[in-house]
Amino acid sequence: MKLSAYGIGIDLPRGWDGRIFRRHGADPTLHAANFPLPASDGDFCSGATAWMPHGGALLVVKEYREDHRLVPGTGLFASRSIPLPLHAGHFHPRSLQVGRPGQAGFQHFFTARGRPFCIYAVVKAPSAAATIASGAHGQVAQLSQLAKTLRFHQHP
């Protein structure tokens, strides 16, 4: 399924849930997961990760507002791309917005089409006995494939 709104597009695989939305007074956010997402959640899906199933994979793309302190293409947003393909080594429990057992996260700030973004991804080991390092390669590969389908356009 193709999702597209607010100058952001992505191709969701069969069985994935996703949405692109914009809160009043905020910039666009994309949520995508290989499990059902709650109807309402925080920008970085703290609700969804609270009940993420084993084998879960979640992708968030959050746009930030440009101002005199945040200049696209500079500082934290100097990167012009997402480091693809993603690898399990990119993910770490300390990269999570909210630390949860069995989960690891990845975040990267970048500029696309003159717009500043953060990509945030979370995986949960496929079983309670698995470790992230040994068990989440499948989810990381799914997220990498998904991220390759991201499309960005100039501000709508």
Side-chain angles (χ1 to χ4, degrees):
M1 173 172 68
K2 292 185 183 293
L3 287 181
S4 184
Y6 306 109
I8 302 169
I10 194 165
D11 299 337
L12 292 182
R14 184 180 310 248
W16 281 63
D17 191 10
R19 68 181 62 88
I20 302 171
F21 62 95
R22 186 178 200 155
R23 297 183 204 285
H24 180 72
D27 292 300
T29 302
L30 175 146
H31 290 171
N34 66 355
F35 58 93
L37 291 166
S40 178
D41 205 345
D43 285 349
F44 291 95
C45 290
S46 58
T49 60
W51 59 275
M52 177 184 253
H54 289 285
L58 169 84
L59 181 76
V60 172
V61 177
K62 172 70 181 149
E63 184 170 3
Y64 286 86
R65 182 144 313 155
E66 179 179 348
D67 66 18
H68 69 280
R69 293 171 294 164
L70 193 162
V71 178
T74 66
L76 186 62
F77 296 91
S79 176
R80 298 289 182 170
S81 63
I82 300 165
L84 295 172
L86 299 177
H87 300 283
H90 288 136
F91 288 75
H92 195 279
R94 287 188 299 217
S95 295
L96 294 167
Q97 180 197 27
V98 178
R100 302 195 196 283
Q103 295 182 7
F106 163 76
Q107 66 176 333
H108 178 74
F109 296 86
F110 65 102
T111 296
R113 302 279 187 169
R115 299 168 63 186
F117 292 95
C118 175
I119 183 169
Y120 176 68
V122 179
V123 295
K124 186 169 183 177
S127 71
T131 64
I132 296 299
S134 68
H137 293 285
Q139 293 101 284
V140 172
Q142 289 176 355
L143 288 167
S144 191
Q145 286 301 112
L146 184 63
K148 287 178 185 178
T149 74
L150 280 165
R151 298 173 304 280
F152 301 96
H153 308 286
Q154 296 295 84
H155 271 288

